[in-house]
Amino acid sequence: MIDKSFVKWWLSRVTPFRDVVPEKLAAEHEAVERLGDYNQNYAEFLNRAVFPAVDDLVKFLAKNGITHRVSTWGNQLSLRIHLAWRWGELVIMQSHEDCVTFEHHIITEGEKRGEDSSEDHSHQYDLRDPIPGPIAENELQFFLSRVAQDLVEPPEEPEIPPGSESPDVQA
């Protein structure tokens, strides 16, 4: 049970603002009605495109000996690839407060070996309309590309003392 003194304080603050104009609530009611459509579009996209594409990817990874893990929780699907000194994770979810977007994040380990930072590449798609199936395969390929690109480190740039010109600049 909520603390009685807190309840009194909270109600004294909120009660004067409890009347909401019907126009403001109309948008809320419309959003809730459309929520079923968004959920249906997301479910169809997952079942017809994402799950088959992830299944194919998992088979590909297993066949080639790439260590990986697939897990789900709530409305999220996670695919993590582990490599010798790096990892990459793809998280697919339905997001936004009214679940209007399909979103995925690609999280990869830091820019350099041993670095404890990560990058997050995020793409969002509107669920007001059905999402074409090929998007799932494109996004999985983008994920694999990001992981592969992050494996190659560019040559370290020379340190230039303050006040000196870049070695590329010639007088």
Side-chain angles (χ1 to χ4, degrees), residues 121-142:
H121 305 276
S122 175
H123 295 161
Q124 295 183 342
Y125 296 93
D126 195 320
L127 287 170
R128 293 172 222 260
D129 298 311
I131 301 173
I135 297 251
E137 291 178 10
N138 291 345
E139 292 300 333
L140 289 178
Q141 189 168 335
F142 178 81

Side-chain angles (χ1 to χ4, degrees), residues 1-160:
M1 183 78 190
I2 301 176
D3 180 66
K4 288 181 183 183
S5 61
F6 173 78
V7 169
K8 280 183 169 182
W9 170 82
W10 191 83
L11 285 173
S12 69
R13 295 277 194 146
V14 172
T15 302
F17 302 98
R18 69 180 167 198
D19 294 328
V20 180
V21 295
E23 296 81 33
K24 188 173 182 182
L25 289 178
E28 177 71 14
H29 292 303
E30 183 182 325
V32 170
E33 288 174 12
R34 296 289 318 266
L35 191 58
D37 294 339
Y38 307 151
N39 289 339
Q40 183 64 33
N41 289 341
Y42 182 62
E44 285 180 19
F45 181 60
L46 282 178
N47 291 323
R48 292 187 180 159
V50 173
F51 291 155
V54 169
D55 189 46
D56 289 345
L57 178 58
V58 165
K59 289 174 185 171
F60 165 77
L61 294 172
K63 181 181 176 185
N64 289 285
I66 307 295
T67 304
H68 62 282
R69 172 181 49 86
V70 177
S71 60
T72 61
W73 62 95
N75 70 353
Q76 297 182 0
L77 172 74
S78 170
L79 170 65
R80 182 175 272 226
I81 294 177
H82 293 276
L83 300 169
W85 57 273
R86 247 185 218 272
W87 56 265
E89 184 170 23
L90 173 66
V91 179
I92 298 170
M93 70 188 97
Q94 184 177 11
S95 62
H96 199 268
E97 65 186 28
D98 53 5
C99 298
V100 185
T101 56
F102 151 71
E103 180 174 351
H104 83 262
H105 295 272
I106 297 173
I107 304 158
T108 54
E109 210 166 23
E111 287 291 308
K112 296 185 178 181
R113 293 180 191 198
E115 193 174 294
D116 280 340
S117 67
S118 63
E119 285 189 57
D120 183 352
H121 305 276
S122 175
H123 295 161
Q124 295 183 342
Y125 296 93
D126 195 320
L127 287 170
R128 293 172 222 260
D129 298 311
I131 301 173
I135 297 251
E137 291 178 10
N138 291 345
E139 292 300 333
L140 289 178
Q141 189 168 335
F142 178 81
F143 165 62
L144 294 176
S145 299
R146 265 321 316 170
V147 170
Q149 287 173 5
D150 289 347
L151 289 172
V152 179
E153 295 178 11
E156 201 164 313
E157 295 190 21
E159 188 173 326
I160 302 169

